[in-house]
Amino acid sequence: MERTPFDAACFPGGFEPEAQWEDLEAEPGVAVRYPVLDDRAWTELIENLRVSGEALKERPVRELVDSIGRAAERLLDPEDSLRGEALNWLVPTAGLSAEMADLVLTGMAKDWTSDRLTELLEREFRVPEVLDEFRVLDSGRKLHAVGSDLSFHVGAGTVPGVSVSSMIRSLLVKSAVLLKPGRGDVVLPVVFARALAQVDAGLGRAVAVVYWPGGRSPAEALALRESSVVVAYGGGESVAALRDRTPVTSRFLAYHHRVSVGLIGRDALSGANARQTASAAALAVSTFDQRGCVSPHVLYVEAGGSTTAKEWAGVLAEAMGELENAIPGGRLTPEEASLLHQSRGAAEMQEASGDEVAVHIGDRGSWTVIYQESSAFTLSCQNRVIYVKPVPDLDDVPQLLADVGPHLQTVALSGATDRRQYLATVLGRTGVTRVTSFEGAPWPPPWWHHDGASVFAGLVSWVDLEDE
Amino acid sequence: MDTVFQILSDELKAAFRGGVDEPWSDERFGDLAARVFEYQLDTNQVYANYCRKRGSMAAAYSDWESIPPVPTSGFKVVPLVSGDAASVERVFRTSGTTSGGVSRGEHHVPDLDLYRASLVPNLEKHLYGGDPLRLLALVPSPEEAPESSLSFMLGEALDMLSDGDGEFFVGANLGLDVGGLRVAIETACTEDQPVLLAGTAFALVHWLDATAETGLSFELPTGSRILETGGFKGRSRVLSRPEFYEALSTALGVPASRIVNEYGMTELLSQFYEPVLSDPPDPEDPAVGALDQRAHFAPPWMRTRVLDPVSLAPLPVGEEGLLCHYDLANLGSVMGVLTEDLGTLDAKGGLRVFGRVDGAEPRGCSLAMDDLLSGVV
């Protein structure tokens, strides 16, 4: 059955360009379509956004928080048709199961509410009104934080909603936003932009979401030239290509691909504890079908507990199976499926050759636990393929991660209660920027230091007003 | 080599000598496949363990399609030898980086004569057609690159089909001898000696680029032909196939109808060719010359299944899926190989390979395979 295509664009209120629309297949019978604008329409769009960005500067930040929060509430309300529409389209466009789409939308949108955003601003700026006017801050300094008139965001498309968080950060500093979402993340930014326009026309006029395929294009060149802040998510190559084309006078914020790991201390491996840790780890691995930068690829299990790493891999496999029943994995692209077969096959051949390898595969095949005695870091092909490796002591892990240092992000740590701070210190020196629990791993709070920096760093310019 | 191997190998060689013209019946292929599978289960412990975990032992054999294939990644992690490991004559390795834990695939070959028996009649049929051709090869010689299956193949072509008349123009360091090849082409033109110019697509592009700088172009003697294989692999600029063939035609005077693509891989000892020379399309056919109409064909001792990428269930004719090849020449390793290639098979057995990337943007926000492969890790 054919569905009407989803429009992968939301223009600012009042701007209605003439556009050709092109279809892209999301899954058989389901398409999204994107607009092809001519140069003149792009120029007008950017001019529109710039003017709306200037208008935002006149509005109190707390008013903006309130409006954004109301838009978020709509996406959290099970009765709201916008939430229904978002969930309905997330499944085919992001390749997630309905259950996972529900979990992801709820998990993401709860951090877009006014309470959470207020807390974010208060933690980051202490006095959020510093975004409205000069305020006297620490030791009597007079400061004002000013957002750019226009920011250009390029999403990765991996985890739905990440680009909405990025959009919100810019709106909070009163910057208009042109967002090009990644192909797997077209739905939430479009739906959120529409919600914003409905609750607050001024904010709606300051946001444009437009998908277009591929990289270099006249639109991209224009957007890079006209935006004083560029925020880029994606693979090394695509982020580097954007950086190379960004004017030196613009700020460039790079969120390149990252990997995360899990650590399980020997004190987390006793009977019931081992099962509890496994359940939490299974959820951390399976959330976003492991496509998040926060998703663990390898779980290092410390020796000396009452469950060995190899045994615990079996416990984890059970937990992965239970989770699969509750929140199934999503649809795989042919490329992803091929990678999965190759990963499993390589591990099964190792197992068959008598290496210390044990492969657990779910009945319906949507998860894979690979125990390997070799403790070298192994990159998972994602989609719920997790490596479990033994280490004599968690102290050994930083060295094992040395080679992936520039790509490291989150470490989920279970147990090692008495060594937590020490481990975080040594892990931090290898490049890890966040140490958390398995429960917390998929959901960093809004005020986290995203890849090690304040989320507003780069989005605002500080103006210092010194004494006469 | 053990006796059973010898008997099977001799029988296969004799069968291969029958040439690639006549298709084999399902029964003939199935019978040999059953015996090869049984031999591999008996003598390849790793593969036998792998099959046992899948519940596929000889007793469960119903037809060749039920034989468990090994993914190409399996060749990267374990030596896959059926028979006596000590009798391996040569180990061929896939190209690619060995850095960052990405290992190269290895194909252990106990009987190079069986490899020869497969590749020579196939090359003869699709490229030589009985003509005396001088081989100009844009790959390292087999002496310089003993681990390269492509070098081995063209070395055999030189010895057995070109009567030793030919040369290799790539060094062990992969440097292309641009001047040497130019001289060889000029000599062939002067002598009016038709050539087979054979090499990887990226080496040919390097040569085209180097030649373009000199402004020279050539008109290879009538009867000359080009064999290209392997794609660009990020080692040269990437051309579309029509652009590539047009550039070759312009620089060398060989029409696209005499340019043949080979689809092969280190993990398979038999190769696929486009039969554009051996079975030229009807010139009245309006589709003639359309490169996207071309298909590859296997010799009768290799068969392909097209599988659903997720479930690995067989797909109906014409549907796109993962390619899984069964090659009887792989007697000494494993016969069934699950590739990462997507393609279709038509009712006549014509294979169309669409490659490993469909142009879609990857979804993973965590570290991507290409970052790993590019040596970042």
Side-chain angles (χ1 to χ4, degrees):
Chain A
M1 234 190 313
E2 297 276 333
R3 279 165 76 173
T4 314
F6 179 84
D7 284 355
C10 179
F11 294 113
F15 178 77
E16 282 163 16
E18 276 189 28
Q20 302 285 333
W21 291 80
E22 301 274 349
D23 278 5
L24 274 178
E25 188 177 75
E27 68 174 33
V30 185
V32 300
R33 56 174 208 160
Y34 63 94
V36 181
L37 304 183
D38 62 18
D39 291 354
R40 197 175 133 191
W42 276 113
T43 309
E44 279 176 27
L45 171 62
I46 283 174
E47 194 44 40
N48 254 281
L49 288 171
R50 197 192 299 286
V51 170
S52 307
E54 278 168 27
L56 284 189
K57 303 277 189 294
E58 305 306 322
R59 297 181 55 187
V61 63
R62 292 195 189 264
E63 192 181 293
L64 300 179
V65 167
D66 184 58
S67 293
I68 294 168
R70 278 190 286 138
E73 295 295 347
R74 295 203 51 189
L75 293 186
L76 285 167
D77 179 359
E79 304 298 316
D80 196 299
S81 62
L82 267 186
R83 180 180 169 92
E85 184 184 356
L87 288 175
N88 197 12
W89 281 104
L90 267 177
V91 173
T93 56
L96 300 176
S97 67
E99 294 85 347
M100 182 59 76
D102 197 283
L103 179 77
V104 169
L105 177 54
T106 305
M108 286 283 171
K110 73 173 168 36
D111 280 344
W112 305 332
T113 56
S114 59
D115 284 355
R116 295 287 272 185
L117 296 180
T118 301
E119 189 171 354
L120 165 64
L121 289 169
E122 286 173 352
R123 282 171 183 259
E124 287 296 314
F125 295 106
R126 286 206 290 148
V127 181
E129 284 73 13
V130 75
L131 286 159
D132 298 336
E133 59 192 4
F134 278 97
R135 285 292 174 115
V136 178
L137 286 183
D138 50 71
S139 46
R141 286 206 293 172
K142 272 190 184 161
L143 298 172
H144 180 25
V146 183
S148 70
D149 46 359
L150 177 63
S151 54
F152 176 38
H153 298 239
V154 180
T158 332
V159 173
V162 167
S163 61
V164 176
S165 297
S166 194
M167 174 206 295
I168 290 172
R169 291 171 186 173
S170 276
L171 291 176
L172 288 175
V173 301
K174 308 182 185 181
S175 170
V177 173
L178 171 60
L179 168 65
K180 180 200 170 189
R183 187 167 171 176
D185 184 22
V186 292
V187 171
L188 291 185
V190 166
V191 170
F192 192 78
R194 279 168 26 206
L196 267 183
Q198 288 172 22
V199 300
D200 185 323
L203 271 173
R205 280 193 295 272
V207 176
V209 180
V210 188
Y211 175 80
W212 67 87
R216 289 161 192 270
S217 68
E220 188 192 84
L222 183 70
L224 289 173
R225 201 166 58 239
E226 297 295 324
S227 309
S228 44
V229 169
V230 176
V231 187
Y233 296 77
E237 221 171 277
S238 48
V239 171
L242 283 166
R243 183 167 61 188
D244 288 348
R245 281 174 281 148
T246 301
V248 69
T249 46
S250 300
R251 293 251 177 92
F252 187 86
L253 305 179
Y255 294 105
H256 60 75
H257 286 338
R258 297 278 175 174
V259 292
S260 295
V261 299
L263 270 54
I264 294 118
R266 56 180 70 95
D267 48 333
L269 290 165
S270 64
N273 238 342
R275 277 194 299 281
Q276 205 178 340
T277 307
S279 298
L283 186 55
V285 168
S286 304
T287 303
F288 317 120
D289 288 343
Q290 210 183 0
R291 291 176 211 143
C293 47
V294 292
S295 306
H297 287 238
V298 176
L299 302 178
Y300 287 106
V301 179
E302 194 174 43
S306 52
T307 310
T308 66
K310 193 171 186 177
E311 290 162 353
W312 189 78
V315 180
L316 177 67
E318 275 176 40
M320 293 291 284
E322 283 164 20
L323 190 67
E324 164 69 13
N325 289 331
I327 309 174
R331 178 181 51 86
L332 302 183
T333 64
E335 290 75 15
E336 288 170 323
S338 175
L339 275 174
L340 177 66
H341 294 305
Q342 295 290 335
S343 294
R344 284 177 178 171
E348 288 180 301
M349 292 309 290
Q350 288 176 324
E351 183 180 34
S353 74
D355 285 359
E356 278 300 311
V357 172
V359 185
H360 307 264
I361 295 175
D363 289 340
R364 276 176 301 189
S366 92
W367 57 268
T368 312
V369 176
I370 299 171
Y371 168 80
Q372 276 178 338
E373 202 170 60
S374 154
S375 56
F377 175 83
T378 305
L379 190 67
S380 160
C381 66
Q382 309 172 348
N383 294 305
R384 308 192 185 193
V385 175
I386 184 72
Y387 292 86
V388 175
K389 291 162 180 271
V391 282
D393 194 288
L394 292 184
D395 240 11
D396 303 323
V397 173
Q399 202 191 334
L400 295 169
L401 299 177
D403 284 349
V404 271
H407 294 283
L408 280 175
Q409 192 200 67
T410 295
V411 167
L413 174 60
S414 179
T417 317
D418 51 337
R419 291 172 288 159
R420 207 171 158 79
Q421 190 160 326
Y422 162 74
L423 285 169
T425 306
V426 287
L427 287 165
R429 288 174 190 155
T430 67
V432 169
T433 53
R434 179 173 171 244
V435 178
T436 182
S437 62
F438 281 104
E439 289 81 355
W443 310 110
W447 45 87
W448 71 316
H449 286 112
H450 188 172
D451 295 347
S454 157
V455 297
F456 292 119
L459 295 183
V460 293
S461 289
W462 286 98
V463 184
D464 295 1
L465 176 58
E466 296 169 3
D467 290 342
E468 278 182 90
Chain B
M1 267 176 282
D2 56 85
T3 321
V4 182
F5 184 98
Q6 207 58 65
I7 292 168
L8 265 171
S9 176
D10 288 346
E11 195 172 333
L12 289 169
K13 285 171 200 159
F16 297 175
R17 272 196 294 276
V20 301
D21 287 338
E22 285 306 310
W24 290 7
S25 67
D26 291 348
E27 195 182 357
R28 184 177 186 196
F29 184 85
D31 172 60
L32 280 165
R35 290 163 59 204
V36 169
F37 178 52
E38 190 179 358
Y39 175 75
Q40 294 185 340
L41 280 180
D42 281 349
T43 59
N44 185 336
Q45 196 54 52
V46 174
Y47 181 59
N49 291 342
Y50 178 79
C51 292
R52 191 173 301 120
K53 196 175 168 187
R54 289 177 153 58
S56 301
M57 297 307 286
Y61 180 89
S62 51
D63 55 46
W64 64 273
E65 296 185 312
S66 67
I67 295 171
V70 170
T72 46
S73 61
F75 288 80
K76 293 180 179 177
V77 294
V78 207
L80 287 165
V81 188
S82 292
D84 179 8
S87 68
V88 167
E89 287 190 89
R90 187 75 66 82
V91 178
F92 295 101
R93 289 188 168 81
T94 58
S95 57
T97 171
T98 51
S99 69
V102 180
S103 47
R104 295 163 67 183
E106 292 185 350
H107 197 160
H108 294 246
V109 179
D111 185 2
L112 287 173
D113 276 340
L114 182 60
Y115 189 7
R116 290 185 182 99
S118 169
L119 73 89
V120 172
N122 213 7
L123 256 174
E124 159 63 23
K125 162 85 175 174
H126 294 295
L127 268 309
Y128 281 78
D131 298 334
L133 299 172
R134 178 174 295 166
L135 177 67
L136 307 183
L138 276 72
V139 298
S141 72
E143 291 73 33
E144 291 208 73
E147 297 185 341
S148 160
S149 52
L150 184 58
S151 290
F152 180 85
M153 186 176 99
L154 293 178
E156 294 306 309
L158 177 64
D159 291 348
M160 302 176 76
L161 298 168
S162 282
D163 244 350
D165 182 12
E167 236 180 298
F168 292 85
F169 294 95
V170 174
N173 58 359
L174 297 183
L176 176 62
D177 179 3
V178 175
L181 181 57
R182 186 180 311 140
V183 170
I185 287 173
E186 284 165 352
T187 307
C189 291
T190 310
E191 296 174 2
D192 199 24
Q193 166 62 53
V195 302
L196 168 60
L197 182 68
T200 54
F202 59 85
L204 286 162
V205 169
H206 283 312
W207 189 78
L208 286 173
D209 289 348
T211 304
E213 284 173 20
T214 67
L216 291 175
S217 69
F218 302 92
E219 191 73 32
L220 283 172
T222 307
S224 294
R225 53 212 75 172
I226 297 173
L227 167 66
E228 58 94 7
T229 187
F232 301 107
K233 291 181 179 164
R235 292 163 80 171
S236 71
R237 64 196 174 93
V238 175
L239 281 73
S240 72
R241 205 170 172 204
E243 284 170 344
F244 182 37
Y245 282 23
E246 177 66 33
L248 286 171
S249 295
T250 307
L252 294 158
V254 176
S257 59
R258 303 187 70 80
I259 305 176
V260 176
N261 179 266
E262 181 244 21
Y263 164 63
M265 55 185 67
T266 304
E267 296 87 347
L268 296 173
L269 298 185
S270 302
Q271 296 77 37
F272 296 80
Y273 292 95
E274 296 170 333
V276 285
L277 296 172
S278 51
D279 184 17
D282 178 0
E284 301 297 309
D285 185 336
V288 165
L291 293 172
D292 58 1
Q293 295 296 316
R294 289 189 179 188
H296 289 89
F297 286 83
W301 50 87
M302 176 156 67
R303 292 198 174 188
T304 296
R305 302 170 72 205
V306 181
L307 305 177
D308 179 279
V310 176
S311 69
L312 298 184
L315 289 172
V317 166
E319 284 194 24
E320 181 180 332
L322 281 176
L323 303 180
C324 180
H325 307 298
Y326 289 81
D327 183 2
L328 298 178
N330 273 17
L331 172 66
S333 53
V334 287
M335 176 177 31
V337 176
L338 177 65
T339 74
E340 294 174 81
D341 296 331
L342 290 167
T344 61
L345 205 55
D346 65 29
K348 293 178 187 160
L351 182 69
R352 286 174 181 80
V353 185
F354 303 128
R356 289 166 200 180
V357 184
D358 73 354
E361 295 163 42
R363 284 196 302 211
C365 127
S366 79
L367 189 60
M369 282 294 165
D370 58 342
D371 286 336
L372 185 89
L373 292 171
S374 68
V376 177
V377 176

